[in-house]
Amino acid sequence: MRGPLGAVIGSYPSSDGTTEIGGIIKHNRKCRDVAFLVIFIAFWVAMIVNSSFGFNQGNPLRLTYGLDYKGNLCGDKHAHPGLRKLELKYWLNPNQVYQSGVKDSQFKLSNARSICLWDCPIPSEDSLNWVCDYPEGDIRISMRDWINRNYDYYEFLTPEMRNTSLQLQGPCYPVIFPSVNVYWSCQFIARASNTSLRHWQQMGGVNINEDIVIDKSIHRSINSRSSVLKRYMADIGKSWPVLIVCGGFLPLFLSVIWLLMIRHFVAAMPWITVALFNILIITVTMFYYLKAGWIGNDAISPIIGEHDPYINVSGRELNHLRAVAILMTSVMVVSILTSIAIVRRILMATSVLKVAAKVIGEVQALIIFPVIPYAILAIFYMFWISAALHLFSSGQVVKNNCNTNCCAYDLVAKKVNCDGCCGYSIHYTPHIAIAIFFHLLGGYWATQFFIACSSTVIAGSVASYYWARGEMSPEIPFLPVFASMKRLIRYSLGSVALGSLVVSFVESIRFILESIRRKLKVSGTTSDGWFGRMGNHTSHGCLRCVEWTIKSVNRNAYIMIAITGKSFFKASEIATELIMNNILRIGKVNVIGDVILFLGKLCVSLSSAVFGFLMLDTHKYRAAHNKISSPLLPVLICWALGYVVATLFFAVVEMSIDTIILSFCQDSEEHQGTAQYAPPLLMETLGEQNEMQRLTQ
């Protein structure tokens, strides 16, 4: 049996009846769970080393632009020749493109001869246009002149070069098919120009295949899973101003406003929160419908720049948006029905929120304190996201191994070369995947750690307030928040590191199992019967329940760490025992309060998502270099960042309620059902004896 906490953490009556000063939450403490603090520090060092690898080897431009036949990155001004502003990848030989799309063909599109251009060539209406290789050797024109001539120096070719060009071996190639800029690659439209084709045949050119395969080959490459993933990551880099505004400053402002409204308009806030949540989730769902093309004519398009309106090219991103729109519709319906169901219990939430409002009014530094972990997390996320972009692009540019016949004229060697016709690709080794997973785990652990630190500081401040009977007595430091921070840094960082590690570990296991489940579902190895589906959904639900339980236990453990200074597992044991002994007291009152706070966090994060949609819908992100492939991932990150920021600030209310209720239950348990340390303001908020009796029954 544990000893009474009143005698441990507050001033308590001595045997002679006088009040003895025990030092508010300053009993004999010592450093706890030091080994896990060392592990956390070592993990940070490993994250820095891991990130330095990404910064050294990665280039985020690889996520957007392709490689030419020399292995140069399009748009790279340091390449040879210089490719500054030449950002579009264009395949020169249409027959190679066709061959790569034929079923069972050994020729791959990555080995087709490609160069980097300023814009996509189009066939001429009265003659034959040419696109020639980079000017080298005897072709003595500059890159600027080559661009100004629309990449055409056919008139300067020797008879030998013209003959090889008619054999589709370069250095010049005919423009037979129109092309359009699709995600910085010129996708052929399988609609050959009759005029250009007639001129080509009159000049004695070899046969050029005309088939829809030439369209599908490039389209299939552009819409491969790896290409889509790269574009999603590139969208993050392009939309960084949106992430800063909608994922940083906006949720900070909205969270502070929400706390101030809780302080001054506590009775109305549950109703406002529920109504605003329903409006916002409907708004976000409608935005997804707009971008999916189901409402209006504002669907996302993979084509960059002006183009023929009759050309219709679809990307995999559109299918993803439509899937999310369907998911959001389901979430919207469930959310609205749930909010209707809890209307009758909102009055109970009001009485619970009054407790937090009283505490915030007395310990006003609690409103300002979350700015400190917010600033730390903001700096961390800027470093972490930048490192993630470099890690995702940290593959090596290597030459492909191919046994195909793809001869091309070499301007430097002055002959047709059939040996070095293989193209280049970015090769990702298995250790890069491990580095990315390690980076994701580190980001999640760090986020949980800073949130846990913030929660522990708030719990220590509120506990000081409670066990001093709500009076700012001389025994409470002038700034209880900073005193709680001092105790955390000095004694309990190891315990917080352990608690955040437990959450991160459980979440990582759930993520791995979820990935395995999806792969089994895709491969068709899972049972399609009702028993298999039931087992699948049951396992998924169990993992969710375990995750929620761990997070709930952790939150109460942080409260007991702040109060008692015990180690993480000991504090979890004390908190769990206290909750189980008072489950009827805590459950009825606290659950509905947690629901309202959860809806409040969603209001802030959904507001971030709405403003993210609005910013990404401007011309800056719909055209030219900053065009994003889809608003899906930037909006999702704005939502996630908004939720993290809201969690930091809403923890003031959340932890205040939990700490007050746990302290009240412990106080009642130690004093035969009558709380001795409950401050007068708390007694007044709970409705004196009648409300108190309702809580304890």
Side-chain angles (χ1 to χ4, degrees):
M1 291 292 294
R2 65 180 187 276
L5 292 184
V8 174
I9 63 178
S11 302
Y12 57 93
S14 60
S15 57
D16 59 0
T18 62
T19 300
E20 182 177 323
I21 299 176
I24 305 297
I25 317 185
K26 285 186 178 179
H27 62 287
N28 297 328
R29 291 180 179 241
K30 62 180 181 180
C31 295
R32 306 285 186 177
D33 300 316
V34 179
F36 291 95
L37 178 59
V38 174
I39 293 174
F40 183 72
I41 295 173
F43 196 92
W44 265 82
V45 173
M47 269 194 67
I48 294 173
V49 173
N50 188 53
S51 300
S52 64
F53 163 78
F55 285 118
N56 185 43
Q57 300 292 330
N59 182 359
L61 293 178
R62 295 176 184 170
L63 301 173
T64 301
Y65 306 117
L67 303 175
D68 66 5
Y69 74 93
K70 294 186 174 184
N72 296 320
L73 181 68
C74 291
D76 185 4
K77 62 182 179 180
H78 300 295
H80 180 73
L83 301 178
R84 184 174 179 270
K85 294 186 178 181
L86 301 178
E87 298 164 340
L88 274 69
K89 183 175 182 177
Y90 177 75
W91 286 270
L92 291 167
N93 192 332
N95 276 0
Q96 288 183 345
V97 175
Y98 173 84
Q99 186 180 355
S100 67
V102 175
K103 187 177 181 181
D104 300 328
S105 173
Q106 299 298 319
F107 189 84
K108 296 182 179 180
L109 185 64
S110 58
N111 293 321
R113 199 170 185 84
S114 60
I115 60 174
C116 302
L117 303 180
W118 174 278
D119 53 4
C120 292
I122 56 175
S124 173
E125 296 180 358
D126 54 6
S127 62
L128 179 62
N129 287 347
W130 297 84
V131 173
C132 301
D133 201 348
Y134 303 129
E136 295 178 304
D138 291 338
I139 307 300
R140 303 189 182 279
I141 63 174
S142 66
M143 290 289 290
R144 181 183 295 274
D145 292 337
W146 175 67
I147 296 172
N148 292 335
R149 296 176 61 88
N150 290 327
Y151 327 108
D152 184 359
Y153 52 75
Y154 183 80
E155 62 182 281
F156 300 139
L157 298 184
T158 64
E160 180 188 4
M161 293 180 186
R162 293 192 179 192
N163 182 55
T164 56
S165 296
L166 292 174
Q167 301 298 317
L168 287 180
Q169 294 179 347
C172 292
Y173 298 82
V175 181
I176 303 297
F177 298 93
S179 58
V180 64
N181 181 359
V182 177
Y183 298 133
W184 306 102
S185 294
C186 293
Q187 177 173 326
F188 289 158
I189 305 300
R191 190 172 64 231
S193 168
N194 293 329
T195 303
S196 299
L197 195 58
R198 185 173 65 253
H199 278 85
W200 170 257
Q201 293 170 348
Q202 291 173 354
M203 295 174 67
V206 298
N207 181 55
I208 291 180
N209 298 300
E210 297 181 66
D211 195 282
I212 197 171
V213 171
I214 200 170
D215 183 341
K216 290 185 176 180
S217 176
I218 298 177
H219 183 74
R220 186 165 55 246
S221 173
I222 292 175
N223 281 286
S224 65
R225 290 185 179 180
S226 59
S227 298
V228 173
L229 177 60
K230 288 180 180 179
R231 288 198 294 271
Y232 277 144
M233 295 303 300
D235 290 342
I236 299 175
K238 294 176 183 177
S239 59
W240 64 266
V242 178
L243 301 184
I244 292 177
V245 174
C246 299
F249 294 122
L250 180 64
L252 169 65
F253 173 76
L254 294 177
S255 298
V256 172
I257 293 297
W258 199 89
L259 286 181
L260 292 176
M261 291 185 69
I262 278 288
R263 173 72 181 90
H264 298 286
F265 306 102
V266 63
M269 279 309 294
W271 301 97
I272 294 174
T273 301
V274 172
L276 187 60
F277 168 72
N278 289 324
I279 293 172
L280 286 171
I281 198 165
I282 293 173
T283 303
V284 171
T285 304
M286 291 302 103
F287 267 116
Y288 277 113
Y289 272 77
L290 284 171
K291 293 304 174 183
W294 288 341
I295 297 179
N297 298 311
D298 198 26
I300 62 172
S301 172
I303 301 176
I304 299 174
E306 297 181 357
H307 61 281
D308 187 342
Y310 293 101
I311 296 177
N312 183 24
V313 180
S314 62
R316 184 173 285 188
E317 288 85 349
L318 184 62
N319 296 331
H320 294 168
L321 273 177
R322 289 175 175 174
V324 173
I326 295 173
L327 176 63
M328 286 299 299
T329 303
S330 304
V331 173
M332 178 184 68
V333 172
V334 172
S335 301
I336 293 176
L337 293 177
T338 303
S339 63
I340 294 174
I342 66 172
V343 165
R344 296 182 61 184
R345 297 187 176 273
I346 287 181
L347 292 176
M348 187 183 297
T350 303
S351 63
V352 175
L353 291 177
K354 285 181 180 180
V355 177
K358 295 292 184 180
V359 176
I360 294 173
E362 293 295 320
V363 190
Q364 297 183 4
L366 286 175
I367 298 180
I368 304 173
F369 164 72
V371 174
I372 298 175
Y374 166 84
I376 296 173
L377 269 178
I379 296 172
F380 168 74
Y381 280 144
M382 286 189 287
F383 162 80
W384 187 84
I385 292 177
S386 178
L389 292 176
H390 282 81
L391 280 171
F392 269 92
S393 60
S394 58
Q396 293 182 341
V397 178
V398 296
K399 194 166 187 177
N400 299 330
N401 293 321
C402 63
N403 298 318
T404 53
N405 182 16
C406 50
C407 300
Y409 193 90
D410 191 332
L411 288 171
V412 177
K414 300 179 182 179
K415 65 176 183 178
V416 175
N417 185 0
C418 296
D419 296 330
C421 61
C422 297
Y424 286 81
S425 303
I426 300 176
H427 178 64
Y428 293 91
T429 57
H431 77 271
I432 295 178
I434 297 174
I436 292 173
F437 179 78
F438 183 83
H439 190 71
L440 295 175
L441 175 62
Y444 191 80
W445 188 5
T447 300
Q448 293 297 323
F449 176 80
F450 290 123
I451 292 176
C453 287
S454 177
S455 300
T456 306
V457 170
I458 294 170
S461 305
V462 175
S464 298
Y465 166 83
Y466 180 91
W467 293 100
R469 293 185 171 90
E471 300 176 0
M472 301 301 290
S473 65
E475 296 146 35
I476 295 183
F478 179 74
L479 294 175
V481 173
F482 290 103
S484 184
M485 288 176 59
K486 181 179 177 181
R487 291 192 298 271
L488 169 69
I489 296 173
R490 186 173 178 182
Y491 301 111
S492 303
L493 281 179
S495 301
V496 172
L498 174 57
S500 55
L501 175 62
V502 170
V503 174
S504 303
F505 179 76
V506 171
E507 189 69 17
S508 300
I509 296 299
R510 192 182 68 84
F511 174 78
I512 294 173
L513 293 177
E514 182 70 15
S515 301
I516 296 174
R517 185 180 68 87
R518 289 182 179 178
K519 287 185 178 180
L520 292 175
K521 186 176 181 180
V522 171
S523 62
T525 55
T526 56
S527 174
D528 293 331
W530 68 270
F531 185 78
R533 290 196 301 269
M534 184 182 68
N536 183 24
H537 293 301
T538 301
S539 61
H540 182 68
C542 289
L543 287 173
R544 283 286 185 183
C545 290
V546 169
E547 178 192 0
W548 180 85
T549 303
I550 291 294
K551 288 183 177 181
S552 179
V553 170
N554 274 17
R555 190 174 69 187
N556 292 295
Y558 297 145
I559 295 174
M560 302 314 296
I561 288 172
I563 294 176
T564 66
K566 300 292 184 181
S567 64
F568 173 77
F569 289 117
K570 184 63 177 177
S572 300
E573 178 186 348
I574 296 174
T576 303
E577 182 182 349
L578 194 60
I579 291 172
M580 295 305 296
N581 291 341
N582 299 273
I583 189 67
L584 294 180
R585 299 181 185 180
I586 297 175
K588 186 181 294 186
V589 178
N590 209 23
V591 169
I592 190 65
D594 285 346
V595 170
I596 296 299
L597 291 173
F598 177 66
L599 293 181
K601 296 176 190 177
L602 289 180
C603 285
V604 172
S605 56
L606 289 173
S607 299
S608 299
V610 169
F611 279 89
F613 266 120
L614 294 175
M615 288 189 67
L616 293 171
D617 202 38
T618 58
H619 178 74
K620 178 179 179 180
Y621 300 103
R622 293 167 63 97
H625 295 81
N626 286 324
K627 177 180 172 66
I628 60 173
S629 64
S630 169
L632 179 59
L633 194 57
V635 167
L636 181 61
I637 292 179
C638 286
W639 177 88
L641 292 176
Y643 190 84
V644 170
V645 174
T647 299
L648 288 174
F649 282 85
F650 281 46
V652 172
V653 178
E654 200 168 23
M655 296 303 290
S656 295
I657 293 174
D658 289 348
T659 305
I660 287 290
I661 290 180
L662 277 179
S663 299
F664 176 80
C665 291
Q666 177 63 32
D667 195 4
S668 300
E669 186 176 299
E670 292 180 8
H671 299 93
Q672 291 77 42
T674 303
Q676 297 293 322
Y677 287 89
L681 291 175
L682 175 62
M683 301 289 288
E684 178 186 349
T685 302
L686 295 178
E688 297 179 348
Q689 289 298 326
N690 292 334
E691 186 72 5
M692 189 74 70
Q693 194 70 24
R694 186 182 66 81
L695 280 174
T696 55
Q697 287 179 351

